[in-house]
Amino acid sequence: MNIGVLALQGDVREHLSALAESDVLARPVRRPEELAGVDGLVIPGGESTAISNLAVSFGLLDPIRKRIADGMPVYGSCAGMIMLAGTVLDGRPDQESFQGIDMTVRRNAFGRQVDSFEAPVEIEDIEGGPFHAVFIRAPWVEETGRDVRVLGRVAEGDAAGRIVAVRQGNLLATAFHPELTGDLRVHRYFVEMVRQAL
């Protein structure tokens, strides 16, 4: 099983490490021919407008959309969540997404870089207690379509109740960065999604 990490911008190395620690072959994806050789894809956190522009420049926007439509499992964290959204609020007018999940997300919903925070998040389907979630200029989900399962919400503080983890079929998205915590449960959950899709 090969899982790619979209390696255009963002915390690519951290996702590659987390996947390797989850006992799968992980490889960077920068070109359509590299995309063709993977069974699943991770879209990392970073800057969603940069990822969008680079996906267009590298000829990956349409191939990724097609693979998503064909059922390839994809996981997006933070900016990756934005890239999987059908509708993006507070994005640039020319910003493109892969449009896989029927949800509306708000970019930088929790505030600027200085407003970054950590909080416990219970994630449905993932055992072991609350996940220690790291939010860095993170989005949140404003609304979801009927086929989208809400897996996690912020439990406390000013953002209590905000949706920060969702799944629709073979697509998974979190507003936070599990690759920065050393807790592999989200990556292992995604690996199992890929395994089941095969």
Side-chain angles (χ1 to χ4, degrees), residues 74-76 81 84 101-103 105 123 140-141 143-144 147-153 163-176 189 193:
V74 179
Y75 165 51
M81 172 183 260
L84 285 173
I101 300 178
D102 183 13
M103 65 179 171
V105 299
I123 304 174
W140 66 45
V141 178
E143 62 182 30
T144 62
D147 295 329
V148 177
R149 285 181 51 218
V150 174
L151 299 181
R153 297 175 184 266
I163 300 169
V164 294
V166 296
R167 178 174 178 181
Q168 181 176 351
N170 283 336
L171 306 176
L172 175 69
T174 62
F176 52 87
Y189 179 81
M193 286 174 56

Side-chain angles (χ1 to χ4, degrees), residues 71-120:
M72 176 181 70
V74 179
Y75 165 51
S77 69
C78 197
M81 172 183 260
I82 294 166
M83 292 301 298
L84 285 173
T87 305
V88 178
L89 303 177
D90 297 333
R92 287 180 26 175
D94 61 340
Q95 184 170 348
E96 299 274 2
S97 79
F98 301 125
Q99 302 178 347
I101 300 178
D102 183 13
M103 65 179 171
T104 300
V105 299
R106 184 173 299 280
R107 288 181 72 243
N108 302 329
F110 291 101
R112 302 168 55 104
Q113 189 85 16
V114 317
D115 301 312
S116 300
F117 68 101
E118 300 177 21

Side-chain angles (χ1 to χ4, degrees), residues 17-19 21-22 131 178 181-189:
S17 294
L19 289 166
E21 288 183 55
S22 300
F131 192 89
T181 67
D183 185 335
L184 299 175
R185 290 180 291 163
V186 172
H187 286 85
R188 288 182 174 148
Y189 179 81

Side-chain angles (χ1 to χ4, degrees), residues 17-94:
S17 294
L19 289 166
E21 288 183 55
S22 300
D23 300 320
V24 294
L25 181 61
R27 61 175 66 168
V29 170
R30 293 182 188 91
R31 296 179 187 85
E33 56 270 18
E34 294 168 340
L35 177 67
V38 300
D39 303 306
L41 183 68
V42 173
I43 304 169
E47 214 295 310
S48 62
T49 54
I51 294 171
S52 170
N53 290 338
L54 290 167
V56 171
S57 296
F58 279 73
L60 281 164
L61 185 70
D62 289 332
I64 290 175
R65 284 178 175 169
K66 182 173 183 340
R67 290 290 308 273
I68 287 172
D70 290 344
M72 176 181 70
V74 179
Y75 165 51
S77 69
C78 197
M81 172 183 260
I82 294 166
M83 292 301 298
L84 285 173
T87 305
V88 178
L89 303 177
D90 297 333
R92 287 180 26 175
D94 61 340

